[in-house]
Amino acid sequence: QQWIKDSHDLQSQWPFSNVFKVVKKALQDGVITKAERTEILNTLEDIVGGNIREDGSAIGKTTKLPFNDVEYIEFEGRHFCFTGKLLFGSRKQCEMEAKKRGGIIHKNVTRNLDYLVTGPIASRDWIYTSYGRKIEKAIKNGSTIISEEVWRRSLDLHRP
């Protein structure tokens, strides 16, 4: 609880926002159960992309991206930004496919962005790159962050 009070300014910044949410929920009744402890640990492991050891250190190679749980998306009138290396094709090709379906393209994350589409990632240091900055800004703005896979699946549903 003291950590939450001392770190109030971090509550809106990912990954702290995720940690704050589960810790606050666990502390509501003043007792952290085994299930709540597991939920907190799982949240931390998702963020660091590996396991948390007894000594508090993390082992792992990649962090888990903060994707929203979305199966399909709409294109018409929706605002899109792409980041990372995309398997579908070049960023320009992906932007054209979204435009054909009525999407509006942005080069950077804006306040009115609906979807940040992220390509697959290979580096454990994604958060320290411009790729990570777009993700961080999208989280802060409340944009929906989706994988290229969700975007590609939705293309088939919305043929031009």
Side-chain angles (χ1 to χ4, degrees):
Q1 285 175 327
Q2 190 60 47
W3 175 70
I4 290 173
K5 288 176 188 172
D6 293 344
S7 308
H8 181 72
D9 56 326
L10 297 175
Q11 289 187 32
S12 62
Q13 297 177 28
W14 189 86
F16 302 106
S17 56
N18 291 21
V19 176
F20 279 119
K21 186 172 70 175
V22 276
V23 170
K24 231 176 175 176
K25 180 179 153 194
L27 291 172
Q28 280 178 342
D29 61 1
V31 177
I32 297 179
T33 65
K34 185 174 181 167
E36 290 168 332
R37 185 177 295 117
T38 300
E39 184 179 8
I40 293 168
L41 182 61
N42 289 341
T43 299
L44 292 170
E45 288 179 344
D46 282 349
I47 290 167
V48 300
N51 297 320
I52 306 288
R53 294 181 178 159
E54 289 288 323
D55 66 1
S57 65
I59 54 171
K61 294 186 179 173
T62 60
T63 56
K64 183 177 177 182
L65 292 172
F67 291 125
N68 292 92
D69 189 19
V70 176
E71 198 167 328
Y72 298 99
I73 59 169
E74 294 294 323
F75 285 87
E76 187 65 40
R78 301 303 198 287
H79 298 254
F80 291 84
C81 180
F82 294 85
T83 191
K85 184 171 170 53
L86 301 150
L87 297 175
F88 181 86
S90 70
R91 191 167 298 171
K92 191 170 204 77
Q93 288 172 309
C94 294
E95 290 170 352
M96 290 306 299
E97 289 300 321
K99 278 184 189 178
K100 284 182 198 176
R101 290 159 176 81
I104 301 160
I105 306 304
H106 296 270
K107 297 292 182 198
N108 296 302
V109 174
T110 63
R111 289 193 187 276
N112 62 345
L113 187 70
D114 293 298
Y115 298 110
L116 177 63
V117 182
T118 62
I121 187 161
S123 170
R124 67 187 175 114
D125 300 321
W126 67 269
I127 196 164
Y128 302 110
T129 66
S130 61
Y131 183 92
R133 297 299 107 193
K134 282 185 179 179
I135 293 169
E136 182 179 53
K137 193 169 182 183
I139 291 168
K140 187 175 183 179
N141 290 346
S143 303
T144 300
I145 302 170
I146 60 171
S147 66
E148 179 185 5
E149 179 184 342
V150 169
W151 176 81
R152 289 174 65 177
R153 192 169 45 237
S154 299
L155 286 177
D156 293 336
L157 295 175
H158 301 281
R159 296 210 181 266

